[in-house]
Amino acid sequence: MLNSSWFFIETLHRLFILPTFLAGTIAVGLYITKGLRLPTTRLILLYLIFLPAYWTLTVQLHRWRTSRNAKRLGVKLPHTISGKRLGNLDLLRRLLGGLLRGYIGDIVDTVLDEEGVNTIKVSLLWSDVIFTRDPEVIKFVLSTGFDNFGKGPRAKVLGEGFLEPGIFAVDNPLAKYHRGILRPYFARERITDFKHFLQYTDKMLRILCNVADADEPCDIQEVFERFTLDAAGAFLFGSPDLNTLNLPLTRAGEPGASMGLYTGFVKGFEEAKNVLEMRRTSNIYAWTATQFFHNPMDEPAKLVSDYAEPLIKRAMEKRRVKEGDTDADEPECFIDHLILSMGHDTAGIKTQLVNVMLAARDTTAVLLAFIVYLLSVHPEVMEKLRSEILGAYSLEGIPTFEDMKGLKYLRAVINEALRLFPPVSKYYLHLLIA
């Protein structure tokens, strides 16, 4: 597994070793053949000359190979755009500026519209990046040609100490192995067990009703994040003791204030997410360099481990006691399923739990928050949706999988919210083969 330290060392190797070797070779050659001993300043000057020459040669060689492979395979390369500054720094600045000032993806849409295409290639700091909104290309990347793409070395380094070697930090064949373990548990009987989530839904609705009765503002996304964390914790860990919905709400407009209320697993999970976000939005060469001295993921990862490992060990002991029981083959919770699938691999089970928790928690919370936002600015949609749901369940009914298929307007509302505000708004993949 590639870690941040090796990634940084490999980067140093590409950046310094070969140009330094070339400069040193010339210096040694001059000394042997002509007896010239170059001063340090001249050696540094030689290195500074060889560094851009080396990178220019490397980039041009890569482009030549790409063009040759495209001709051999009969492939049409994407439309390429270029900036006016070295390394296309002006394009990079424009893309980052659009990301900071608007919705994620808007600036890419703008550039694609300006170029009159749906797919573009741009070299940012000499690394080729392809942006696309073409449905056929997206279908190929995510479906029919899925095996040609992976997360790449950078994505794997981002999850170091928390997500690796889970499904978010590996490529095939390990990714297929993880999917094979996860998929059977999320069968229809499991995801339609609405009674499992009912207690958390009722608790959340009581909180929102109390806030409304008091005519006080609240951060609705924070409430949804707590709801999904508590429900996912019970579903995955089989332990209903996270209870973040029981904590007092923070004042609206004070982002991050709830962190001071969290302890144990929840604190570790939230802090680990913050470290992941810092890594994702920072220069990868800068933060990997700091990992030699202090890894900010160590403390939150320990808090998560201190909570999860005793639960896993208790579940293993419970499973051991039940050996020989014919009813014991049915897993009681996700941990139980993982023990049946992975044996006594405590570290692997913990990694699976963290990866699934990360996937389940924020995506659901973000979707719920944007649905509430959209309904609040479109009261006519809210009224029609409410009528459909009350017509199906009245005020006391509990949904079932079968009758939910008849709620077509609800499905349309969810799909439109996902279209306008997708929880995973961008997805980067690395080309594995030519």
Side-chain angles (χ1 to χ4, degrees):
M1 174 62 67
L2 179 69
N3 62 33
S4 58
S5 298
W6 278 113
F7 181 89
F8 184 70
I9 291 171
E10 185 182 358
T11 301
L12 287 179
H13 173 269
R14 294 197 307 268
L15 187 61
F16 295 112
I17 301 299
L18 189 58
T20 302
F21 173 77
L22 293 174
T25 300
I26 289 181
V28 171
L30 288 173
Y31 178 74
I32 292 174
T33 57
K34 298 189 176 182
L36 292 177
R37 188 186 297 273
L38 294 179
T40 304
T41 52
R42 296 284 180 88
L43 287 173
I44 294 174
L45 181 61
L46 268 178
Y47 166 76
L48 293 176
I49 291 173
F50 275 115
L51 182 60
Y54 164 70
W55 276 107
T56 300
L57 180 63
T58 301
V59 170
Q60 293 303 321
L61 181 62
H62 168 73
R63 289 177 178 173
W64 175 76
R65 285 176 175 170
T66 300
S67 177
R68 185 187 64 175
N69 285 337
K71 290 179 180 178
R72 178 174 58 84
L73 297 170
V75 173
K76 181 181 178 182
L77 291 173
H79 175 72
T80 302
I81 61 172
S82 301
K84 299 178 180 178
R85 300 286 179 87
L86 183 68
N88 286 330
L89 280 171
D90 51 335
L91 287 176
L92 180 61
R93 187 179 298 113
R94 184 186 179 193
L95 290 170
L96 291 176
L99 178 66
L100 294 172
R101 291 189 294 270
Y103 287 115
I104 294 175
D106 279 0
I107 183 61
V108 176
D109 262 343
T110 300
V111 173
L112 289 169
D113 288 340
E114 291 173 355
E115 298 295 321
V117 295
N118 287 321
T119 303
I120 56 171
K121 183 179 77 170
V122 56
S123 178
L124 300 174
L125 297 178
W126 302 280
S127 294
D128 288 342
V129 181
I130 296 175
F131 297 97
T132 186
R133 62 184 178 189
D134 188 320
E136 290 302 315
V137 175
I138 294 171
K139 177 183 176 182
F140 177 78
V141 171
L142 297 181
S143 180
T144 55
F146 183 76
D147 290 340
N148 296 322
F149 300 88
K151 300 169 186 69
R154 295 194 181 198
K156 297 170 189 176
V157 170
L158 288 177
E160 180 194 356
F162 189 59
L163 298 177
E164 48 88 26
I167 194 168
F168 283 146
V170 296
D171 290 320
N172 289 334
L174 266 180
K176 284 185 176 180
Y177 165 74
H178 288 308
R179 285 195 296 272
I181 289 176
L182 299 176
R183 189 177 291 116
Y185 187 75
F186 296 96
R188 175 172 153 180
E189 310 82 63
R190 295 282 178 187
I191 62 174
T192 58
D193 184 12
F194 296 116
K195 291 181 180 179
H196 177 87
F197 301 102
L198 191 59
Q199 58 176 316
Y200 301 102
T201 305
D202 287 344
K203 187 185 291 187
M204 178 188 66
L205 291 175
R206 284 196 299 271
I207 291 171
L208 295 178
C209 287
N210 291 338
V211 169
D213 291 341
D215 197 25
E216 295 177 350
C218 79
D219 184 342
I220 192 72
Q221 185 161 326
E222 179 191 333
V223 177
F224 287 141
E225 285 175 348
R226 295 186 184 193
F227 159 69
T228 52
L229 186 63
D230 288 357
F235 185 73
L236 300 176
F237 296 115
S239 178
D241 60 357
L242 296 182
N243 291 326
T244 60
L245 283 171
N246 292 348
L247 298 173
L249 293 180
T250 57
R251 291 176 59 87
E254 295 182 359
S258 60
M259 282 297 295
L261 301 171
Y262 295 152
T263 59
F265 172 83
V266 179
K267 180 182 179 182
F269 188 77
E270 291 295 321
E271 289 181 351
K273 278 178 45 192
N274 291 340
V275 175
L276 289 174
E277 185 64 15
M278 177 277 294
R279 290 176 174 178
R280 189 184 66 81
T281 55
S282 302
N283 182 281
I284 191 168
Y285 305 113
W287 74 256
T288 51
T290 65
Q291 305 292 289
F292 282 101
F293 311 105
H294 171 66
N295 188 344
M297 189 64 83
D298 289 343
E299 185 177 343
K302 184 178 184 303
L303 289 172
V304 171
S305 293
D306 288 347
Y307 175 83
E309 287 183 5
L311 288 176
I312 296 170
K313 289 176 181 177
R314 283 201 298 269
M316 286 179 176
E317 178 60 22
K318 190 176 179 181
R319 171 62 50 184
R320 186 189 66 78
V321 171
K322 283 186 174 182
E323 283 181 359
D325 186 346
T326 54
D327 295 329
D329 290 337
E330 181 62 27
E332 297 178 5
C333 65
F334 189 53
I335 288 182
D336 212 23
H337 166 75
L338 292 177
I339 293 171
L340 286 170
S341 303
M342 302 176 67
H344 291 262
D345 181 6
T346 302
I349 291 172
K350 182 186 66 178
T351 301
Q352 294 282 16
L353 289 168
V354 168
N355 277 256
V356 174
M357 173 70 88
L358 187 69
R361 187 275 182 100
D362 285 359
T363 51
T364 307
V366 169
L367 173 60
L368 290 172
F370 276 120
I371 287 177
V372 169
Y373 164 72
L374 290 169
L375 292 176
S376 68
V377 296
H378 295 283
E380 71 285 357
V381 176
M382 169 73 173
E383 189 59 36
K384 187 172 180 179
L385 178 62
R386 188 170 187 272
S387 296
E388 181 184 66
I389 293 173
L390 289 178
Y393 304 114
S394 69
L395 290 174
E396 304 294 334
I398 297 177
T400 67
F401 181 79
E402 293 303 327
D403 54 36
M404 278 193 72
K405 290 193 290 187
L407 301 179
K408 295 182 179 180
Y409 198 70
L410 172 63
R411 170 52 58 188
V413 167
I414 293 173
N415 285 343
E416 185 67 357
L418 287 170
R419 185 184 72 83
L420 293 171
F421 300 105
V424 182
S425 52
K426 59 184 184 298
Y427 191 44
Y428 294 112
L429 286 173
H430 181 84
L431 183 61
L432 299 178
I433 60 175

